[in-house]
Amino acid sequence: MATDPALAANPLANQPIRQTSGEGGALGRTGFSWAIFEWARNPYYILIVIYIFAPYFARDIIGADLLASGTLAGLPDDQALAAANAQGQATIASVTKWAGLIAALTAPFLGAALDRGGRLKPILAIFLGSIVVCSAMLWFAMPGGQGLSVGAIMVLLVVAYVSYTYSEVTHNAMLSVAGEPRRLAMISGLGLGLGNLAATLIFLAIALLFVLPAAIGWPFAIPQFGVDLSKFEHARLAGPICAVWLAVFSIPFFLNARDPGVPGASWARAFGDGAVSVWRTLRAATHYRELMKFLVARMFYADGMAALLALGAVYVALFLGWNFLEMLCYAIFASACAFAGGLIGGWLESKVGVKRALLVEIMLMVLAGLTQLSITRESLFLGLIENSQVWDGPVFQTLSDIVYLSLISVVAITVTASISSGRTMLVTLAPPGRSGEFFGLYAIAGTITVWMGPLLVEQFTLWSGDQRIGMVSINILFIIGFATLLTVRMPERAA
């Protein structure tokens, strides 16, 4: 095995011997324990960052408060609503910007320290505790100046977002010891699948206990537990639910997952040596040419995915006019499909290799996304088929709605599968014993340009005056990432 040049050049690299591989597969004790962590943690991101709390914060707190303030009173109603929605979206973008910046500047140093320090589980517990507290506090996020101020809500979201990123880097640094190297793909895919399955179950509970009773009086005559939808308690409750879920279901991980850290190792020295190693790694990037090309590719395609996830729900709500119940059904369906995506990603990697699997996943994601953009309220596939009403039920009444929803399954599966494949590719390309540090750089590649996708959508929409053209611009990032990924040469054992 070739010597890692960064470590060879470091005279202080007399760190303790660390375990760099594990035993068993996805259903083994350590592999399943690693995967169950995402069942516990991922619902926070899916419910709070994507589908429930962020839209609520943007529309019903920021936008509604701006309309109620009278600041936009001189504008026509449609223009005032558009301005309020824009302010809400800008606020969410600001949260993402600051959280992404903090994570981008610090995550690589954390990852490098994780490769050199003591036990990782206590560090991870701190990050999870931060998420639990911030998530629970979101119950007090109310419109009209009640409860927490807008600034306080933004701080909670930023702290939780950064803590989530740190927990991801730490958890990913433990993947190499979760099972046998050839089974890591399935372990990684199982984790993502379980995370989305957990979110699906929570979405179903919210729909059955609160939203459907209020909308159609089924399966209960009224919302349960005294939840008042007029006070947005169903949206605010997502925070405490995710907090309790994370606290309870992370216990099996802490009891059974394998920790690659060395007991008694100095964290102070780990952070010092880790910082030196990060700078050395960046300077000596030519020694990791293929890994760096992959990280550059990920920087672009992951930013495209982030924009697609963050803006896709807003786009469909505005462009196809889906209501809250339809958006909740959309979230349930997408999360259920994403569960399958985690498993499909691991299976595809085992059949064609991780690089080819990732290329296929990106290509299918782009094709499905472009097909979605050919659908309007009037027609499908750029006017080839006229839209028509299919049934008179409570949700998804038209052909456009149903076809768009079916395409969401392809996007959800490929997005989740690509995340799994990306993690496996990083483990495959990273020097042995330094996966934590490179997962830190992996986090940078996914956050440092997080502003690029939304910026493209904004500028292309303003230039064209067309929402669809704005969304099409995301594909510029996918194309650059795809082309760069084609140039990455994989080790023969993983090609």
Side-chain angles (χ1 to χ4, degrees):
M1 181 181 296
T3 302
D4 181 356
L7 289 181
N10 184 5
L12 299 177
N14 56 342
Q15 50 196 348
I17 297 175
R18 305 172 71 86
Q19 186 177 5
T20 58
S21 63
E23 300 175 352
L27 298 181
R29 183 175 66 88
T30 57
F32 190 77
S33 298
W34 187 93
I36 203 70
F37 178 86
E38 300 203 84
W39 163 279
R41 184 199 58 181
N42 288 18
Y44 172 84
Y45 191 89
I46 296 171
L47 270 72
I48 305 301
V49 177
I50 300 179
Y51 291 117
I52 293 184
F53 188 83
Y56 158 68
F57 182 43
R59 180 184 60 243
D60 300 310
I61 295 182
I62 301 298
D65 287 355
L66 182 59
L67 289 171
S69 70
T71 304
L72 306 176
L75 297 176
D77 290 346
D78 57 341
Q79 294 183 23
L81 181 60
N85 289 338
Q87 184 60 45
Q89 182 170 310
T91 303
I92 297 297
S94 179
V95 168
T96 305
K97 175 189 69 178
W98 286 111
L101 180 62
I102 294 169
L105 294 176
T106 55
F109 300 100
L110 170 65
L114 295 175
D115 287 330
R116 293 162 171 79
R119 291 299 190 188
L120 274 58
K121 287 182 180 179
I123 301 295
L124 189 54
I126 295 173
F127 300 146
L128 296 189
S130 173
I131 299 172
V132 166
V133 172
C134 292
S135 185
M137 290 293 291
L138 295 179
W139 169 257
F140 301 103
M142 294 177 276
Q146 303 178 64
L148 298 172
S149 67
V150 168
I153 298 170
M154 293 176 69
V155 169
L156 287 174
L157 293 174
V158 169
V159 172
Y161 191 111
V162 173
S163 299
Y164 189 95
T165 302
Y166 289 169
S167 73
E168 184 175 16
V169 172
T170 309
H171 181 236
N172 285 343
M174 301 171 70
L175 175 59
S176 62
V177 299
E180 298 176 22
R182 63 188 179 90
R183 297 183 177 180
L184 294 182
M186 288 304 298
I187 294 172
S188 175
L190 177 62
L192 288 167
L194 288 175
N196 283 281
L197 177 60
T200 302
L201 295 177
I202 297 174
F203 282 133
L204 283 171
I206 292 174
L208 293 173
L209 293 174
F210 312 129
V211 180
L212 287 175
I216 60 175
W218 182 89
F220 305 102
I222 60 173
Q224 298 299 288
F225 308 113
V227 170
D228 188 346
L229 271 66
S230 68
K231 297 180 180 178
F232 304 101
E233 290 182 353
H234 58 302
R236 293 158 46 202
L237 195 59
I241 288 174
C242 290
V244 173
W245 189 276
L246 175 56
V248 171
F249 288 110
S250 61
I251 293 174
F253 167 83
F254 284 102
L255 291 178
N256 299 307
R258 180 165 292 161
D259 191 331
V262 178
S266 169
W267 279 108
R269 179 174 180 179
F271 275 98
D273 289 352
V276 171
S277 181
V278 169
W279 292 118
R280 184 179 292 112
T281 298
L282 292 174
R283 291 198 304 268
T286 54
H287 293 299
Y288 315 105
R289 182 179 180 85
E290 304 311 314
L291 178 55
M292 290 301 175
K293 284 194 293 185
F294 165 63
L295 291 177
V296 170
R298 182 179 186 271
M299 181 173 68
F300 287 100
Y301 82 72
D303 192 37
M305 286 196 306
L308 189 63
L309 290 174
L311 301 174
V314 175
Y315 170 82
V316 72
L318 296 175
F319 199 75
L320 294 183
W322 287 4
N323 58 36
F324 184 86
L325 182 57
E326 287 174 320
M327 293 300 294
L328 186 60
C329 293
Y330 158 38
I332 293 171
F333 180 68
S335 296
C337 292
F339 166 71
L343 303 179
I344 291 172
W347 171 82
L348 186 60
E349 292 167 38
S350 68
K351 295 297 182 182
V352 303
V354 62
K355 175 184 170 181
R356 294 188 187 94
L358 187 53
L359 288 169
V360 169
E361 289 151 5
I362 294 173
M363 185 182 304
L364 290 175
M365 196 186 314
V366 169
L367 291 176
L370 289 174
T371 305
Q372 284 179 322
L373 295 177
S374 72
I375 298 172
T376 70
R377 299 189 196 188
E378 291 76 34
S379 65
L380 296 84
F381 313 128
L382 299 178
L384 292 178
I385 300 176
E386 185 177 351
N387 191 24
S388 59
Q389 184 167 339
V390 176
W391 72 316
D392 60 354
V395 294
F396 309 125
Q397 297 178 343
T398 70
L399 182 62
S400 288
D401 293 335
I402 294 172
V403 174
Y404 195 100
L405 186 68
S406 67
L407 289 167
I408 284 171
S409 66
V410 180
V411 175
I413 289 172
T414 52
V415 165
T416 309
S418 69
I419 295 172
S420 175
S421 298
R423 294 194 304 202
T424 306
M425 194 161 178
L426 189 284
V427 171
T428 303
L429 292 171
R434 300 183 65 202
S435 60
E437 176 179 341
F438 281 94
F439 267 118
L441 295 178
Y442 184 82
I444 269 196
T447 59
I448 198 168
T449 58
V450 73
W451 49 269
M452 192 180 298
L455 178 64
L456 282 174
V457 173
E458 176 191 16
Q459 293 302 315
F460 273 76
T461 302
L462 292 175
W463 166 71
S464 65
D466 189 317
Q467 276 187 270
R468 288 190 294 173
I469 292 178
M471 292 295 291
V472 165
S473 67
I474 294 175
N475 290 286
I476 295 173
L477 300 173
F478 282 121
I479 291 170
I480 296 174
F482 186 91
T484 306
L485 186 60
L486 283 173
T487 69
V488 177
R489 292 184 299 176
M490 299 295 292
E492 291 184 8
R493 66 184 187 280

mmCIF file with all atom_site columns, all heavy atoms in Angstrom, residues 62-82:
data_model
loop_
_atom_site.group_PDB
_atom_site.id
_atom_site.type_symbol
_atom_site.label_atom_id
_atom_site.label_alt_id
_atom_site.label_comp_id
_atom_site.label_asym_id
_atom_site.label_entity_id
_atom_site.label_seq_id
_atom_site.pdbx_PDB_ins_code
_atom_site.Cartn_x
_atom_site.Cartn_y
_atom_site.Cartn_z
_atom_site.occupancy
_atom_site.B_iso_or_equiv
_atom_site.pdbx_formal_charge
_atom_site.auth_seq_id
_atom_site.auth_comp_id
_atom_site.auth_asym_id
_atom_site.auth_atom_id
_atom_site.pdbx_PDB_model_num
ATOM 1   N N   . ILE A 1 62 ? -42.456 35.428 8.157  1.00 0.00 ? 62 ILE A N   1
ATOM 2   C CA  . ILE A 1 62 ? -41.806 36.551 7.470  1.00 0.00 ? 62 ILE A CA  1
ATOM 3   C C   . ILE A 1 62 ? -42.775 37.241 6.517  1.00 0.00 ? 62 ILE A C   1
ATOM 4   O O   . ILE A 1 62 ? -43.019 38.455 6.611  1.00 0.00 ? 62 ILE A O   1
ATOM 5   C CB  . ILE A 1 62 ? -40.567 36.064 6.699  1.00 0.00 ? 62 ILE A CB  1
ATOM 6   C CG1 . ILE A 1 62 ? -39.553 35.409 7.644  1.00 0.00 ? 62 ILE A CG1 1
ATOM 7   C CG2 . ILE A 1 62 ? -39.926 37.240 5.954  1.00 0.00 ? 62 ILE A CG2 1
ATOM 8   C CD1 . ILE A 1 62 ? -39.006 36.323 8.697  1.00 0.00 ? 62 ILE A CD1 1
ATOM 9   N N   . GLY A 1 63 ? -43.365 36.479 5.596  1.00 0.00 ? 63 GLY A N   1
ATOM 10  C CA  . GLY A 1 63 ? -44.250 37.069 4.600  1.00 0.00 ? 63 GLY A CA  1
ATOM 11  C C   . GLY A 1 63 ? -45.520 37.655 5.204  1.00 0.00 ? 63 GLY A C   1
ATOM 12  O O   . GLY A 1 63 ? -45.902 38.793 4.902  1.00 0.00 ? 63 GLY A O   1
ATOM 13  N N   . ALA A 1 64 ? -46.159 36.883 6.081  1.00 0.00 ? 64 ALA A N   1
ATOM 14  C CA  . ALA A 1 64 ? -47.417 37.353 6.679  1.00 0.00 ? 64 ALA A CA  1
ATOM 15  C C   . ALA A 1 64 ? -47.202 38.572 7.564  1.00 0.00 ? 64 ALA A C   1
ATOM 16  O O   . ALA A 1 64 ? -48.014 39.509 7.560  1.00 0.00 ? 64 ALA A O   1
ATOM 17  C CB  . ALA A 1 64 ? -48.056 36.218 7.487  1.00 0.00 ? 64 ALA A CB  1
ATOM 18  N N   . ASP A 1 65 ? -46.110 38.581 8.327  1.00 0.00 ? 65 ASP A N   1
ATOM 19  C CA  . ASP A 1 65 ? -45.832 39.738 9.182  1.00 0.00 ? 65 ASP A CA  1
ATOM 20  C C   . ASP A 1 65 ? -45.551 40.988 8.349  1.00 0.00 ? 65 ASP A C   1
ATOM 21  O O   . ASP A 1 65 ? -45.940 42.101 8.726  1.00 0.00 ? 65 ASP A O   1
ATOM 22  C CB  . ASP A 1 65 ? -44.652 39.443 10.102 1.00 0.00 ? 65 ASP A CB  1
ATOM 23  C CG  . ASP A 1 65 ? -45.016 38.466 11.222 1.00 0.00 ? 65 ASP A CG  1
ATOM 24  O OD1 . ASP A 1 65 ? -46.207 38.110 11.317 1.00 0.00 ? 65 ASP A OD1 1
ATOM 25  O OD2 . ASP A 1 65 ? -44.115 38.060 11.978 1.00 0.00 ? 65 ASP A OD2 1
ATOM 26  N N   . LEU A 1 66 ? -44.876 40.802 7.213  1.00 0.00 ? 66 LEU A N   1
ATOM 27  C CA  . LEU A 1 66 ? -44.596 41.952 6.342  1.00 0.00 ? 66 LEU A CA  1
ATOM 28  C C   . LEU A 1 66 ? -45.893 42.506 5.760  1.00 0.00 ? 66 LEU A C   1
ATOM 29  O O   . LEU A 1 66 ? -46.093 43.737 5.711  1.00 0.00 ? 66 LEU A O   1
ATOM 30  C CB  . LEU A 1 66 ? -43.639 41.536 5.232  1.00 0.00 ? 66 LEU A CB  1
ATOM 31  C CG  . LEU A 1 66 ? -43.204 42.630 4.256  1.00 0.00 ? 66 LEU A CG  1
ATOM 32  C CD1 . LEU A 1 66 ? -42.497 43.771 4.997  1.00 0.00 ? 66 LEU A CD1 1
ATOM 33  C CD2 . LEU A 1 66 ? -42.292 42.055 3.172  1.00 0.00 ? 66 LEU A CD2 1
ATOM 34  N N   . LEU A 1 67 ? -46.792 41.636 5.348  1.00 0.00 ? 67 LEU A N   1
ATOM 35  C CA  . LEU A 1 67 ? -48.089 42.087 4.830  1.00 0.00 ? 67 LEU A CA  1
ATOM 36  C C   . LEU A 1 67 ? -48.900 42.789 5.912  1.00 0.00 ? 67 LEU A C   1
ATOM 37  O O   . LEU A 1 67 ? -49.523 43.832 5.672  1.00 0.00 ? 67 LEU A O   1
ATOM 38  C CB  . LEU A 1 67 ? -48.874 40.897 4.273  1.00 0.00 ? 67 LEU A CB  1
ATOM 39  C CG  . LEU A 1 67 ? -48.362 40.277 2.971  1.00 0.00 ? 67 LEU A CG  1
ATOM 40  C CD1 . LEU A 1 67 ? -49.104 38.982 2.669  1.00 0.00 ? 67 LEU A CD1 1
ATOM 41  C CD2 . LEU A 1 67 ? -48.515 41.260 1.811  1.00 0.00 ? 67 LEU A CD2 1
ATOM 42  N N   . ALA A 1 68 ? -48.879 42.235 7.120  1.00 0.00 ? 68 ALA A N   1
ATOM 43  C CA  . ALA A 1 68 ? -49.656 42.808 8.221  1.00 0.00 ? 68 ALA A CA  1
ATOM 44  C C   . ALA A 1 68 ? -49.103 44.143 8.695  1.00 0.00 ? 68 ALA A C   1
ATOM 45  O O   . ALA A 1 68 ? -49.843 44.962 9.264  1.00 0.00 ? 68 ALA A O   1
ATOM 46  C CB  . ALA A 1 68 ? -49.698 41.827 9.387  1.00 0.00 ? 68 ALA A CB  1
ATOM 47  N N   . SER A 1 69 ? -47.823 44.388 8.436  1.00 0.00 ? 69 SER A N   1
ATOM 48  C CA  . SER A 1 69 ? -47.192 45.627 8.920  1.00 0.00 ? 69 SER A CA  1
ATOM 49  C C   . SER A 1 69 ? -47.668 46.859 8.168  1.00 0.00 ? 69 SER A C   1
ATOM 50  O O   . SER A 1 69 ? -47.500 47.990 8.634  1.00 0.00 ? 69 SER A O   1
ATOM 51  C CB  . SER A 1 69 ? -45.672 45.517 8.797  1.00 0.00 ? 69 SER A CB  1
ATOM 52  O OG  . SER A 1 69 ? -45.275 45.537 7.432  1.00 0.00 ? 69 SER A OG  1
ATOM 53  N N   . GLY A 1 70 ? -48.249 46.670 6.967  1.00 0.00 ? 70 GLY A N   1
ATOM 54  C CA  . GLY A 1 70 ? -48.703 47.795 6.167  1.00 0.00 ? 70 GLY A CA  1
ATOM 55  C C   . GLY A 1 70 ? -47.638 48.383 5.267  1.00 0.00 ? 70 GLY A C   1
ATOM 56  O O   . GLY A 1 70 ? -47.901 49.308 4.501  1.00 0.00 ? 70 GLY A O   1
ATOM 57  N N   . THR A 1 71 ? -46.429 47.857 5.334  1.00 0.00 ? 71 THR A N   1
ATOM 58  C CA  . THR A 1 71 ? -45.327 48.366 4.513  1.00 0.00 ? 71 THR A CA  1
ATOM 59  C C   . THR A 1 71 ? -45.640 48.258 3.025  1.00 0.00 ? 71 THR A C   1
ATOM 60  O O   . THR A 1 71 ? -45.226 49.105 2.227  1.00 0.00 ? 71 THR A O   1
ATOM 61  C CB  . THR A 1 71 ? -44.033 47.588 4.830  1.00 0.00 ? 71 THR A CB  1
ATOM 62  O OG1 . THR A 1 71 ? -43.767 47.677 6.228  1.00 0.00 ? 71 THR A OG1 1
ATOM 63  C CG2 . THR A 1 71 ? -42.857 48.136 4.036  1.00 0.00 ? 71 THR A CG2 1
ATOM 64  N N   . LEU A 1 72 ? -46.380 47.223 2.629  1.00 0.00 ? 72 LEU A N   1
ATOM 65  C CA  . LEU A 1 72 ? -46.678 46.987 1.214  1.00 0.00 ? 72 LEU A CA  1
ATOM 66  C C   . LEU A 1 72 ? -48.084 47.432 0.842  1.00 0.00 ? 72 LEU A C   1
ATOM 67  O O   . LEU A 1 72 ? -48.611 47.034 -0.193 1.00 0.00 ? 72 LEU A O   1
ATOM 68  C CB  . LEU A 1 72 ? -46.521 45.491 0.909  1.00 0.00 ? 72 LEU A CB  1
ATOM 69  C CG  . LEU A 1 72 ? -45.174 44.865 1.293  1.00 0.00 ? 72 LEU A CG  1
ATOM 70  C CD1 . LEU A 1 72 ? -45.199 43.357 1.029  1.00 0.00 ? 72 LEU A CD1 1
ATOM 71  C CD2 . LEU A 1 72 ? -44.032 45.516 0.534  1.00 0.00 ? 72 LEU A CD2 1
ATOM 72  N N   . ALA A 1 73 ? -48.686 48.266 1.665  1.00 0.00 ? 73 ALA A N   1
ATOM 73  C CA  . ALA A 1 73 ? -50.089 48.652 1.464  1.00 0.00 ? 73 ALA A CA  1
ATOM 74  C C   . ALA A 1 73 ? -50.319 49.368 0.143  1.00 0.00 ? 73 ALA A C   1
ATOM 75  O O   . ALA A 1 73 ? -51.411 49.304 -0.425 1.00 0.00 ? 73 ALA A O   1
ATOM 76  C CB  . ALA A 1 73 ? -50.552 49.524 2.618  1.00 0.00 ? 73 ALA A CB  1
ATOM 77  N N   . GLY A 1 74 ? -49.329 50.061 -0.382 1.00 0.00 ? 74 GLY A N   1
ATOM 78  C CA  . GLY A 1 74 ? -49.519 50.811 -1.617 1.00 0.00 ? 74 GLY A CA  1
ATOM 79  C C   . GLY A 1 74 ? -49.465 49.965 -2.865 1.00 0.00 ? 74 GLY A C   1
ATOM 80  O O   . GLY A 1 74 ? -49.721 50.469 -3.968 1.00 0.00 ? 74 GLY A O   1
ATOM 81  N N   . LEU A 1 75 ? -49.136 48.682 -2.747 1.00 0.00 ? 75 LEU A N   1
ATOM 82  C CA  . LEU A 1 75 ? -49.018 47.809 -3.909 1.00 0.00 ? 75 LEU A CA  1
ATOM 83  C C   . LEU A 1 75 ? -50.312 47.049 -4.154 1.00 0.00 ? 75 LEU A C   1
ATOM 84  O O   . LEU A 1 75 ? -51.072 46.786 -3.214 1.00 0.00 ? 75 LEU A O   1
ATOM 85  C CB  . LEU A 1 75 ? -47.878 46.804 -3.693 1.00 0.00 ? 75 LEU A CB  1
ATOM 86  C CG  . LEU A 1 75 ? -46.460 47.369 -3.540 1.00 0.00 ? 75 LEU A CG  1
ATOM 87  C CD1 . LEU A 1 75 ? -45.481 46.235 -3.224 1.00 0.00 ? 75 LEU A CD1 1
ATOM 88  C CD2 . LEU A 1 75 ? -46.030 48.104 -4.805 1.00 0.00 ? 75 LEU A CD2 1
ATOM 89  N N   . PRO A 1 76 ? -50.570 46.671 -5.405 1.00 0.00 ? 76 PRO A N   1
ATOM 90  C CA  . PRO A 1 76 ? -51.696 45.768 -5.672 1.00 0.00 ? 76 PRO A CA  1
ATOM 91  C C   . PRO A 1 76 ? -51.502 44.462 -4.898 1.00 0.00 ? 76 PRO A C   1
ATOM 92  O O   . PRO A 1 76 ? -50.376 44.087 -4.569 1.00 0.00 ? 76 PRO A O   1
ATOM 93  C CB  . PRO A 1 76 ? -51.618 45.537 -7.188 1.00 0.00 ? 76 PRO A CB  1
ATOM 94  C CG  . PRO A 1 76 ? -50.868 46.718 -7.715 1.00 0.00 ? 76 PRO A CG  1
ATOM 95  C CD  . PRO A 1 76 ? -49.898 47.105 -6.647 1.00 0.00 ? 76 PRO A CD  1
ATOM 96  N N   . ASP A 1 77 ? -52.600 43.758 -4.655 1.00 0.00 ? 77 ASP A N   1
ATOM 97  C CA  . ASP A 1 77 ? -52.532 42.560 -3.812 1.00 0.00 ? 77 ASP A CA  1
ATOM 98  C C   . ASP A 1 77 ? -51.545 41.528 -4.330 1.00 0.00 ? 77 ASP A C   1
ATOM 99  O O   . ASP A 1 77 ? -50.779 40.929 -3.549 1.00 0.00 ? 77 ASP A O   1
ATOM 100 C CB  . ASP A 1 77 ? -53.926 41.930 -3.697 1.00 0.00 ? 77 ASP A CB  1
ATOM 101 C CG  . ASP A 1 77 ? -54.861 42.783 -2.856 1.00 0.00 ? 77 ASP A CG  1
ATOM 102 O OD1 . ASP A 1 77 ? -54.374 43.700 -2.159 1.00 0.00 ? 77 ASP A OD1 1
ATOM 103 O OD2 . ASP A 1 77 ? -56.086 42.532 -2.902 1.00 0.00 ? 77 ASP A OD2 1
ATOM 104 N N   . ASP A 1 78 ? -51.547 41.279 -5.649 1.00 0.00 ? 78 ASP A N   1
ATOM 105 C CA  . ASP A 1 78 ? -50.659 40.249 -6.186 1.00 0.00 ? 78 ASP A CA  1
ATOM 106 C C   . ASP A 1 78 ? -49.196 40.650 -6.062 1.00 0.00 ? 78 ASP A C   1
ATOM 107 O O   . ASP A 1 78 ? -48.324 39.824 -5.750 1.00 0.00 ? 78 ASP A O   1
ATOM 108 C CB  . ASP A 1 78 ? -51.013 39.933 -7.643 1.00 0.00 ? 78 ASP A CB  1
ATOM 109 C CG  . ASP A 1 78 ? -50.957 41.160 -8.537 1.00 0.00 ? 78 ASP A CG  1
ATOM 110 O OD1 . ASP A 1 78 ? -51.008 42.300 -8.003 1.00 0.00 ? 78 ASP A OD1 1
ATOM 111 O OD2 . ASP A 1 78 ? -50.867 40.993 -9.769 1.00 0.00 ? 78 ASP A OD2 1
ATOM 112 N N   . GLN A 1 79 ? -48.907 41.950 -6.265 1.00 0.00 ? 79 GLN A N   1
ATOM 113 C CA  . GLN A 1 79 ? -47.528 42.414 -6.124 1.00 0.00 ? 79 GLN A CA  1
ATOM 114 C C   . GLN A 1 79 ? -47.085 42.415 -4.668 1.00 0.00 ? 79 GLN A C   1
ATOM 115 O O   . GLN A 1 79 ? -45.934 42.092 -4.355 1.00 0.00 ? 79 GLN A O   1
ATOM 116 C CB  . GLN A 1 79 ? -47.379 43.820 -6.719 1.00 0.00 ? 79 GLN A CB  1
ATOM 117 C CG  . GLN A 1 79 ? -47.578 43.880 -8.223 1.00 0.00 ? 79 GLN A CG  1
ATOM 118 C CD  . GLN A 1 79 ? -47.351 45.283 -8.770 1.00 0.00 ? 79 GLN A CD  1
ATOM 119 O OE1 . GLN A 1 79 ? -46.663 46.101 -8.163 1.00 0.00 ? 79 GLN A OE1 1
ATOM 120 N NE2 . GLN A 1 79 ? -47.946 45.567 -9.922 1.00 0.00 ? 79 GLN A NE2 1
ATOM 121 N N   . ALA A 1 80 ? -47.983 42.763 -3.781 1.00 0.00 ? 80 ALA A N   1
ATOM 122 C CA  . ALA A 1 80 ? -47.652 42.741 -2.354 1.00 0.00 ? 80 ALA A CA  1
ATOM 123 C C   . ALA A 1 80 ? -47.353 41.316 -1.896 1.00 0.00 ? 80 ALA A C   1
ATOM 124 O O   . ALA A 1 80 ? -46.394 41.080 -1.142 1.00 0.00 ? 80 ALA A O   1
ATOM 125 C CB  . ALA A 1 80 ? -48.802 43.328 -1.543 1.00 0.00 ? 80 ALA A CB  1
ATOM 126 N N   . LEU A 1 81 ? -48.148 40.352 -2.358 1.00 0.00 ? 81 LEU A N   1
ATOM 127 C CA  . LEU A 1 81 ? -47.912 38.964 -1.988 1.00 0.00 ? 81 LEU A CA  1
ATOM 128 C C   . LEU A 1 81 ? -46.583 38.467 -2.541 1.00 0.00 ? 81 LEU A C   1
ATOM 129 O O   . LEU A 1 81 ? -45.834 37.769 -1.851 1.00 0.00 ? 81 LEU A O   1
ATOM 130 C CB  . LEU A 1 81 ? -49.060 38.093 -2.513 1.00 0.00 ? 81 LEU A CB  1
ATOM 131 C CG  . LEU A 1 81 ? -48.967 36.597 -2.190 1.00 0.00 ? 81 LEU A CG  1
ATOM 132 C CD1 . LEU A 1 81 ? -48.944 36.374 -0.683 1.00 0.00 ? 81 LEU A CD1 1
ATOM 133 C CD2 . LEU A 1 81 ? -50.132 35.844 -2.838 1.00 0.00 ? 81 LEU A CD2 1
ATOM 134 N N   . ALA A 1 82 ? -46.284 38.861 -3.788 1.00 0.00 ? 82 ALA A N   1
ATOM 135 C CA  . ALA A 1 82 ? -45.015 38.449 -4.388 1.00 0.00 ? 82 ALA A CA  1
ATOM 136 C C   . ALA A 1 82 ? -43.836 39.027 -3.611 1.00 0.00 ? 82 ALA A C   1
ATOM 137 O O   . ALA A 1 82 ? -42.829 38.352 -3.387 1.00 0.00 ? 82 ALA A O   1
ATOM 138 C CB  . ALA A 1 82 ? -44.956 38.894 -5.850 1.00 0.00 ? 82 ALA A CB  1
#
